[in-house]
C-alpha cells in the first residue's frame, strides 16, 4: 500500500470479515456511506496483481444491506495503480484526482481550455459510459492529504521540516502557486490575489457537474503553514483554528453564497451528461469573449458557457472564466441578466442574491483572474 503491509482483501475469509464490518456499521451504527482509502488495494489479488473483477469490490456493491449507502473509492494506491475513471465497478463513486489537478492548473495558467471544460462538465472523458452519471465523480480541490486551499495559493513548495524528515515526505507535485511571494505576507496586492484565487477555486467546484467535496476549514482559510503532510503534527499546524471564521468572514460569506447558489439551481446537479443539442438550442453552449466559439487550442485562458433554461427550471445561467492577467470584456447572450457572482469585485459585490443582483446587458468586463456568474429568468 505504501503505508505498510496489507491483507489480501479478496481472500474468502478476509472478504467475509470486511462485509461483516460494513454491515454492522450500517445496521447498528446507522452509517450512511463509506469512503475507502487507497481503495485500489481491494482490486489486487493474492500476489498483488490487479484483478479485472475483484470479488470484494463486487460484493460490496451488490450486498443487499449496502446497496442503499454511498460507496466512494479513492481510486488509487501507493503501489502505483491509478484507476480514476476505471475503478472496476459501476456502483462505486470515485474521488476525481484529475479534477483536482486540472482545476488547480487552470487557475494558475497551466491547463488547456478543453481539459478545464471537460472537468466542469463532470469529466465525461472518464465517466460517460453505460450505467454511469456525472455523480460518479466526487470533485474536490483539497482533501486531508496535501495543501489546504489557503496554502495552495500561498506556497509554491511544501514546507514539511517540522515533520523531521528533512522535507522529503509529502507530495512534490502540488499544482500550487504562491501568487507572488512564498508564505505569509502583508502585501495588500498579494493578499487580494490570494483571496480571489480561493474564491475562483471554490466557485468552480460548486459550478461543476458531479458531487462537490469541501475540506473542512477551507471555507474560512485554514492554513497548515505550507505543510502538505501534517498527519503527524498534533499542534497549531494541524489544529482547526475556528477564529479564522471571523478573521476571514468575507471568504466564509462567499462560500455560503456559492453553496446556496448551487442548491437553488438544479441544472448544476444533473444526473445525465450534456449532449450539446436540443429541440430549442443546446443544453450547454460554449462561448469565447466575443460571443463566438472559444479558441480551444491556442493557449487562451478565457471561457464562457451558457446553461439552457430548460436544463435549470427555467433560469438560464451564464458562467465566465477569465484566468488571464488582463481584464477581458465578454459579450452576453441576448436579454437582461443579473450578476450573481463576480470574484473580481470586492465584498459584498462578489456575491448577490437574485433580486438584489445588479442588472447587466450586452457586455461585462471581467477583472484579471476572475470568475463571474449571471442568471436570466425565462418568464
Amino acid at each position: 500500500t505504501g503505508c505498510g503491509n496489507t491483507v489480501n482483501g479478496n481472500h474468502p475469509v478476509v472478504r467475509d470479515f470486511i462485509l461483516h464490518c460494513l454491515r454492522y456499521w450500517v445496521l447498528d451504527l446507522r452509517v450512511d456511506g463509506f469512503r475507502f482509502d487507497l481503495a485500489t488495494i481491494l482490486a489486487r489479488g493474492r500476489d498483488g496483481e490487479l484483478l479485472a473483477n475483484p470479488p470484494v469490490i463486487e460484493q460490496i456493491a451488490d450486498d443487499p444491506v449496502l446497496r442503499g449507502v454511498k460507496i466512494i473509492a479513492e481510486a488509487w494506491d501507493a503501489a502505483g495503480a491509478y484507476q480514476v475513471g476505471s475503478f472496476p465497478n459501476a456502483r462505486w463513486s470515485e474521488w476525481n484526482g484529475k479534477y483536482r489537478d486540472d482545476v488547480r492548473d487552470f487557475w494558475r495558467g497551466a491547463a488547456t481550455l478543453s481539459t478545464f471544460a471537460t472537468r466542469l462538465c463532470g469529466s465525461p472523458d472518464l465517466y460517460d459510459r453505460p450505467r454511469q452519471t456525472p455523480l460518479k465523480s466526487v470533485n474536490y480541490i483539497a482533501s486531508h492529504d496535501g495543501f489546504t486551499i489557503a496554502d495552495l495559493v500561498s506556497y509554491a513548495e511544501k514546507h514539511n521540516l517540522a515533520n523531521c524528515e528533512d522535507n522529503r515526505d509529502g507530495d512534490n507535485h502540488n499544482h500550487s502557486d504562491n501568487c507572488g511571494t512564498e508564505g505569509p505576507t502583508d502585501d495588500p496586492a498579494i493578499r487580494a490575489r490570494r483571496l480571489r484565487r480561493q474564491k475562483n477555486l471554490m466557485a468552480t467546484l460548486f459550478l461543476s457537474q458531479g458531487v462537490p467535496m469541501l475540506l473542512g476549514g477551507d471555507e474560512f482559510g485554514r492554513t497548515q503553514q505550507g505543510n502538505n503532510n501534517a498527519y503527524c503534527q498534533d499542534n497549531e499546524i494541524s489544529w482547526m483554528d475556528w477564529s479564522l471564521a471571523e478573521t476571514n468572514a468575507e471568504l466564509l460569506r462567499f462560500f455560503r453564497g456559492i453553496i446556496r447558489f448551487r442548491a437553488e439551481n438544479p441544472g448544476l446537479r444533473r444526473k445525465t451528461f450534456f449532449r450539446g443539442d436540443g429541440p430549442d438550442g443546446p443544453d450547454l453552449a460554449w462561448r469565447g469573449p466575443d460571443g463566438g466559439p472559444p479558441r480551444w487550442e491556442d493557449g487562451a485562458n478565457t471561457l464562457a458557457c451558457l446553461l439552457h433554461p430548460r436544463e435549470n427550471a427555467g433560469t438560464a445561467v451564464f458562467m465566465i472564466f477569465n484566468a488571464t492577467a488582463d481584464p477581458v470584456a465578454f459579450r452576453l447572450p441576448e436579454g437582461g441578466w443579473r450578476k450573481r457572482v463576480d470574484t473580481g469585485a470586492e465584498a459584498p459585490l462578489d456575491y448577490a442574491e437574485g433580486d438584489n443582483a445588479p442588472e447587466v446587458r450586452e457586455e461585462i468586463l471581467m477583472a484579471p483572474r476572475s470568475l463571474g456568474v449571471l442568471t436570466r429568468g425565462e418568464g
Side-chain angles (χ1 to χ4, degrees):
T1 66
C3 304
N5 293 330
T6 187
V7 297
N8 175 11
N10 286 294
H11 186 284
V13 173
V14 178
R15 191 167 68 231
D16 288 345
F17 178 66
I18 291 172
L19 268 294
H20 176 81
C21 291
L22 296 176
R23 293 186 196 113
Y24 169 73
W25 283 323
V26 170
L27 293 174
D28 290 81
L29 304 183
R30 298 293 188 260
V31 167
D32 295 314
F34 303 92
R35 175 265 189 190
F36 291 78
D37 192 79
L38 299 176
T40 290
I41 64 172
L42 297 177
R44 294 185 180 274
R46 176 177 178 176
D47 297 321
E49 74 281 12
L50 288 171
L51 305 176
N53 302 106
V56 69
I57 288 175
E58 293 192 346
Q59 282 190 252
I60 292 171
D62 297 332
D63 186 85
V65 172
L66 305 176
R67 194 170 293 152
V69 303
K70 297 174 177 65
I71 298 180
I72 303 169
E74 183 184 41
W76 55 85
D77 65 20
Y82 189 78
Q83 295 183 308
V84 172
S86 61
F87 195 76
N89 191 279
R91 162 88 161 80
W92 291 61
S93 296
E94 297 176 11
W95 268 24
N96 192 341
K98 292 184 178 180
Y99 178 96
R100 172 200 62 204
D101 296 343
D102 291 340
V103 171
R104 289 183 180 190
D105 281 345
F106 176 77
W107 285 111
R108 68 190 186 99
T112 65
L113 279 188
S114 57
T115 299
F116 176 71
T118 300
R119 299 293 161 250
L120 197 68
C121 289
S123 297
D125 59 328
L126 302 175
Y127 303 120
D128 190 359
R129 56 194 64 178
R131 298 177 58 203
Q132 304 290 7
T133 77
L135 302 180
K136 177 86 169 180
S137 178
V138 177
N139 303 326
Y140 65 105
I141 307 296
S143 70
H144 64 284
D145 289 325
F147 281 146
T148 67
I149 287 185
D151 288 351
L152 183 67
V153 303
S154 303
Y155 296 91
E157 307 291 340
K158 64 185 182 183
H159 294 265
N160 296 359
L161 289 174
N163 298 354
C164 298
E165 296 187 37
D166 296 324
N167 213 38
R168 293 191 303 266
D169 66 306
D171 200 337
N172 294 318
H173 305 287
N174 294 289
H175 305 265
S176 64
D177 176 12
N178 62 23
C179 294
T181 193
E182 191 76 354
T185 180
D186 293 325
D187 186 320
I190 294 177
R191 290 170 65 90
R193 194 176 306 150
R194 290 175 177 176
L195 177 61
R196 182 179 301 179
R197 181 74 60 83
Q198 290 176 78
K199 292 178 181 179
N200 290 340
L201 290 166
M202 278 300 101
T204 301
L205 176 64
F206 284 94
L207 294 170
S208 297
Q209 300 296 325
V211 180
M213 184 183 80
L214 177 65
L215 174 64
D218 278 346
E219 69 274 21
F220 49 68
R222 175 176 168 264
T223 177
Q224 293 181 163
Q225 303 171 32
N227 192 315
N228 75 349
N229 195 34
Y231 77 97
C232 55
Q233 298 295 327
D234 183 13
N235 49 42
E236 288 84 357
I237 291 176
S238 64
W239 293 344
M240 186 79 78
D241 182 358
W242 295 100
S243 70
L244 291 173
E246 297 181 7
T247 304
N248 297 325
E250 176 184 341
L251 185 62
L252 179 57
R253 172 190 171 274
F254 179 84
F255 275 33
R256 287 171 169 162
I258 198 66
I259 291 170
R260 189 160 54 248
F261 183 83
R262 179 183 178 88
E264 293 170 353
N265 288 275
L268 301 177
R269 311 189 307 276
R270 292 167 55 98
K271 295 182 181 179
T272 59
F273 288 99
F274 292 111
R275 294 302 175 204
D277 54 14
D280 54 350
D283 48 14
L284 188 74
W286 299 104
R287 302 197 178 203
D290 62 359
R295 303 198 313 271
W296 290 112
E297 302 300 339
D298 67 353
N301 277 328
T302 54
L303 184 66
C305 61
L306 174 64
L307 178 61
H308 197 283
R310 72 164 181 272
E311 307 294 325
N312 192 47
T315 299
V317 177
F318 192 62
M319 295 177 268
I320 303 172
F321 307 90
N322 177 22
T324 74
D326 302 306
V328 177
F330 283 79
R331 182 175 297 278
L332 300 177
E334 292 184 3
W337 294 87
R338 288 190 180 273
K339 185 172 66 171
R340 301 292 306 278
V341 177
D342 183 356
T343 62
E346 294 186 6
L349 300 179
D350 53 348
Y351 175 83
E353 296 293 345
D355 292 340
N356 296 323
E359 294 187 20
V360 185
R361 288 184 178 272
E362 296 185 359
E363 188 176 87
I364 184 171
L365 183 65
M366 297 301 301
R369 301 184 179 91
S370 69
L371 178 153
V373 183
L374 300 94
T375 58
R376 183 190 65 201
E378 298 289 306

